[in-house]
Amino acid sequence: MTNGQKQQLIRDRAAALLADGAVSCIVGWRQTRFAGKTAVCFVRAPEDATLLVWNEYTIPLTAKYLADERWTGGKAGILARGCDSKAINRLLRDNQLEREKLYIVGLPCEGKADERCRPCRQKTPLVYDELLWEEDSAADGGGTSAADADAPGRGRFFRADEVSALGIDARYDYWEDVYARCIRCYACRNACPVCSCRECYVDMHRAGFQSKRQNAADNRVFGVTRAFHVGDRCIECGECERVCPMGLPILGQTQKVIQTAEALAGAPYEAGLNAEDENFLGKFDLDDKDAFM
Amino acid sequence: MDKNTKLIQKTALPDALAALLPDYRVFAPAGENERLAFTRIDAQNAFALCLSGTPLMPPKELLFPRSETLYGTDIKTGDVSLPQTAGPTAVFGVRPCDAHGIANLDCAFLEKGYVDSAYAARREALTLIVLACAQIPYETCFCDSMGGGPAGSEGADVLLTETEDGSALVAAFLTGKGRAVKALWAAAGLLSDTGADATTKSANPAKAPPPCNLRISKDKGLAAKIAAAFDDPMWARFSEACLGCGTCSFVCPTCYCFDLDSENRGGTAEEFRCWDCCMFSDYSRMAGGHNPRPTKKERLRNRYLHKLAYFDERYGRTLCVGCGRCIGKCPAGLDIAAVIEWGGTL
């Protein structure tokens, strides 16, 4: 099936869902006036469903918008790929969403024009009310083949691997350079589907956790806090990096947390595969060894 | 022959920057790709100059730093210390939109009886050497719809425009600060006559600038029309996809909001100011906790109305200069040009 055919299916289905009142709104993508750039949009009338697009540039996550307080009133229809579904699972797990207030239209993804989509292992949504088409396993683009996963810089933790390959002094310089260039616009935080605190600690600046000064030292406080705060819930969608206006390679931070957790646990770990699993930094067990205490 | 219009070869530009070094701190665009930034130039790196692109971060931070200490107080002695002023500064390669933006910042920081002394000292010491756009740097550029243009001279002390064959720049020295630059370049033997005859305007070698990629129609009555639409339901639509980050404000050449705070650093209590952003929730939160702009709809409306209406009401000019950075970098596809077009239809 071509992207054009998929787009038509999306438009037809969105119009039907809106027309019969199943949902009050469809969260999807529209074309901006610039080629190669789409944006999330909210379609409320059946006749506006023609705004919806599906192509290699429909990259932004739709799921983040569900955590907005606006949805407490009605049932939202959401176009969801694998990454969006992992985000939805995380938001459900964190009690940020109610499943019955969502109608999830699942869209198996063929991979998008973004290097962060390349290692994606979850092209078909994990949670949905209906799937509009089946995943085309022969589709070229996106996903990591077995051979690809072992190639340097091509695997699941490709960005973290870039940094790990450096010597320890070079790693320090790498992050100093990142934090010197950060402008603390918080786009990474705001685009992140698992950043769901009602009030972020950085907005409580009277509490003294985070200075509002923009400099490498205070930027580093934010970066490290963010890495640990969301690292174990990170669904590896890459939105933090995509939205960074400065082009900073920050996906490597959460990748490193996940990579380290897998190494310590000796078991695979991936957030958002379902809406029940505990996040590893947020759980405890009375039988945990507490040799450090 | 206009004595304040000369020709300078592009190959001479590193020498031109070097000629300024004894008298100025010199900044110019340097760096690859996303590292392109207004960079302090010294004799060693004057050759790293980039003429093709323009930095994402506008040069406003030379006047209005991201963070600056206003004064410090020694906790034990109570002695107050003031930061040193930086001295004469020349910035080369500023694009016309950003120079226009600085002219707008001047209104906010210097006019109507409120003079910001820290800004004023830096502004007095700053010389703007503006480079007209021989190529339009971003697909989102729309300065020529906003009262400026790719060869606009507003705010410029020196305006450099590429010649037809692209090998040289026509340098117009427009102000006293500009003529001080001219004297240094002339003394270094870098200037030649343009060959143009000012009386007949014949053979002016400067190439006409290309039009911007994005052309919109800005209504003459925009400020009044859009301010009157305060309660229009479109604000909710415009803000729907907004993520509430500070990208638009921080890449903007004319956003000038700041926060004041103090911190103890070592044995010194420092009063500082830093960039702030009206899209952040704590920006408009009152001491008692009330927030008059509780959601992104109110915040976004305020940001656009400040750019397009409130500033115009106070200073008679639109704050947005059409540099296009916020459109290009918005992770949610928000588009101030679309808001300007909509405002004109009201």
Side-chain angles (χ1 to χ4, degrees):
Chain A
M1 201 185 304
T2 64
N3 277 339
Q5 290 167 321
K6 291 174 180 174
Q7 176 173 290
Q8 194 56 50
L9 274 179
I10 290 170
R11 291 177 177 181
D12 293 346
R13 192 67 191 118
L17 286 167
L18 290 165
D20 71 16
V23 297
S24 60
C25 176
I26 291 281
V27 188
W29 304 269
R30 66 173 172 89
Q31 181 60 45
T32 69
R33 66 168 113 201
F34 304 101
K37 187 169 181 179
T38 70
V40 170
C41 70
F42 302 75
V43 174
R44 293 192 172 77
E47 61 271 22
D48 291 338
T50 52
L51 283 173
L52 295 166
V53 298
W54 176 265
N55 55 49
E56 62 184 313
Y57 302 111
T58 48
I59 298 168
L61 270 201
T62 52
K64 175 72 185 190
Y65 293 94
L66 295 174
D68 203 301
E69 287 156 60
R70 87 181 63 231
W71 300 115
T72 48
K75 189 156 184 161
I78 179 163
L79 305 183
R81 302 150 299 178
C83 50
D84 297 301
S85 77
K86 284 166 56 174
I88 290 168
N89 275 336
R90 258 329 308 177
L91 290 164
L92 290 169
R93 175 66 190 81
D94 291 341
N95 294 320
Q96 298 298 312
L97 293 181
E98 292 171 66
R99 180 67 182 87
E100 56 274 17
K101 289 188 176 169
L102 297 181
Y103 188 86
I104 305 171
V105 179
L107 312 176
C109 186
E110 56 289 326
K112 300 295 173 192
D114 190 310
E115 63 167 335
R116 299 161 199 102
C117 296
R118 197 183 54 227
C120 175
R121 305 185 296 177
Q122 212 53 254
K123 291 190 272 185
T124 295
L126 293 150
V127 53
Y128 52 81
D129 293 295
E130 61 178 292
L131 273 187
L132 278 197
W133 57 79
E134 293 297 322
E135 180 175 325
D136 179 3
S137 53
D140 189 22
T144 307
S145 68
D148 221 17
D150 294 330
R154 303 278 294 177
R156 177 183 172 196
F157 301 121
F158 66 102
R159 191 71 81 215
D161 291 340
E162 285 171 21
V163 191
S164 301
L166 302 171
I168 194 151
D169 289 338
R171 259 181 266 166
Y172 184 84
D173 294 343
Y174 179 96
W175 290 116
E176 282 301 286
D177 172 61
V178 166
Y179 293 127
R181 287 190 286 145
C182 170
I183 58 170
R184 286 241 304 286
C185 63
Y186 301 124
C188 51
R189 172 194 69 177
N190 291 17
C192 176
V194 303
C195 261
S196 56
C197 297
R198 282 291 159 88
E199 185 172 26
C200 178
Y201 87 100
V202 307
D203 294 327
M204 305 159 66
H205 78 279
R206 287 285 164 206
F209 299 129
Q210 173 77 60
S211 168
K212 278 189 87 162
R213 269 190 219 247
Q214 284 200 15
N215 57 41
D218 289 312
N219 297 348
R220 191 191 308 119
V221 171
F222 171 67
V224 173
T225 306
R226 181 184 158 276
F228 278 91
H229 185 38
V230 302
D232 65 333
R233 291 176 292 143
C234 170
I235 60 158
E236 305 166 56
C237 64
E239 279 289 88
C240 51
E241 258 193 27
R242 179 188 69 81
V243 300
C244 178
M246 308 310 288
L248 302 177
I250 49 180
L251 177 57
Q253 295 174 328
T254 46
Q255 283 183 348
K256 186 68 183 174
V257 174
I258 300 163
Q259 193 177 37
T260 306
E262 287 199 333
L264 289 172
Y269 181 84
E270 190 170 349
L273 294 182
N274 57 57
E276 291 81 41
D277 284 355
E278 302 273 10
N279 44 310
F280 66 79
L281 290 176
K283 69 178 174 186
F284 72 97
D285 189 323
L286 288 173
D287 294 327
D288 275 350
K289 284 182 279 185
D290 53 0
F292 61 94
M293 288 181 79
Chain B
M1 187 84 56
D2 180 354
K3 65 185 172 62
N4 285 315
T5 302
K6 297 287 178 186
L7 206 60
I8 184 167
Q9 298 301 312
K10 278 189 181 172
T11 51
L13 288 176
D15 293 337
L17 295 186
L20 301 175
L21 286 172
D23 294 27
Y24 299 91
R25 298 189 311 148
V26 178
F27 291 81
E32 297 279 322
N33 302 322
E34 73 271 12
R35 289 168 187 277
L36 180 62
F38 286 100
T39 306
R40 179 87 185 263
I41 296 293
D42 58 30
Q44 274 71 48
N45 69 0
F47 293 87
L49 185 67
C50 169
L51 292 183
S52 55
T54 196
L56 174 62
M57 295 307 283
K60 80 172 174 189
E61 59 187 306
L62 294 174
L63 293 166
F64 175 49
R66 299 180 199 193
S67 301
E68 67 174 315
T69 298
L70 299 174
Y71 60 87
T73 309
D74 187 292
I75 289 168
K76 287 208 175 93
T77 65
D79 292 342
V80 172
S81 55
L82 297 173
Q84 300 285 312
T85 49
T89 302
V91 54
F92 173 93
V94 171
R95 296 305 176 106
C97 56
D98 286 342
H100 181 187
I102 287 172
N104 286 358
L105 292 178
D106 288 347
C107 295
F109 283 112
L110 303 175
E111 288 190 9
K112 302 277 183 192
Y114 297 95
V115 176
D116 183 296
S117 58
Y119 179 95
R122 283 186 287 258
R123 185 69 181 93
E124 179 58 33
L126 185 68
T127 299
L128 286 169
I129 303 170
V130 174
L131 179 66
C133 294
Q135 298 99 34
I136 301 298
Y138 299 122
E139 64 173 345
T140 55
C141 287
F142 63 107
C143 68
D144 54 4
S145 302
M146 297 305 289
S153 62
E154 172 136 42
D157 296 305
V158 180
L159 179 66
L160 304 172
T161 312
E162 214 169 79
T163 53
E164 200 65 54
D165 68 0
S167 65
L169 299 165
V170 177
F173 301 95
L174 302 170
T175 64
K177 286 178 183 176
R179 287 185 284 277
V181 170
K182 180 190 163 208
L184 290 171
W185 286 354
L190 301 171
L191 300 177
S192 57
D193 287 336
T194 61
D197 185 335
T199 53
T200 61
K201 292 192 186 323
S202 67
N204 185 337
K207 187 164 63 179
C212 286
N213 297 318
L214 177 58
R215 307 302 294 273
I216 61 167
S217 126
K218 176 175 172 276
D219 191 274
K220 282 193 169 61
L222 175 69
K225 284 182 173 184
I226 203 163
F230 190 83
D231 292 318
D232 197 285
M234 277 303 284
W235 295 115
R237 298 304 301 268
F238 285 133
S239 65
E240 262 174 339
C242 176
L243 290 166
C245 72
T247 300
C248 50
S249 292
F250 290 167
V251 302
C252 178
T254 67
C255 267
Y256 55 84
C257 285
F258 56 82
D259 198 3
L260 288 167
D261 205 349
S262 52
E263 281 176 355
N264 289 343
R265 298 245 158 164
T268 307
E270 288 191 357
E271 182 76 8
F272 68 91
R273 75 167 158 193
C274 59
W275 288 1
D276 204 348
C277 167
C278 57
M279 298 308 300
F280 293 160
S281 65
D282 71 338
Y283 176 92
S284 50
R285 187 172 52 209
M286 305 288 121
H290 174 66
N291 196 332
R293 296 187 202 127
T295 73
K296 61 190 180 184
K297 182 190 88 173
E298 294 84 10
R299 294 175 202 145
L300 188 94
R301 175 176 63 196
N302 177 71
R303 183 166 189 280
Y304 285 157
L305 288 181
H306 182 214
K307 293 282 173 214
L308 306 175
Y310 306 150
F311 195 84
D312 192 312
E313 287 164 14
R314 187 165 169 81
Y315 300 107
R317 39 165 82 215
T318 306
L319 187 51
C320 174
V321 294
C323 77
R325 290 180 176 96
C326 60
I327 306 175
K329 285 296 170 181
C330 178
L334 271 64
D335 183 341
I336 192 172
V339 176
I340 294 167
E341 287 175 314
W342 166 76
T345 66
L346 293 168

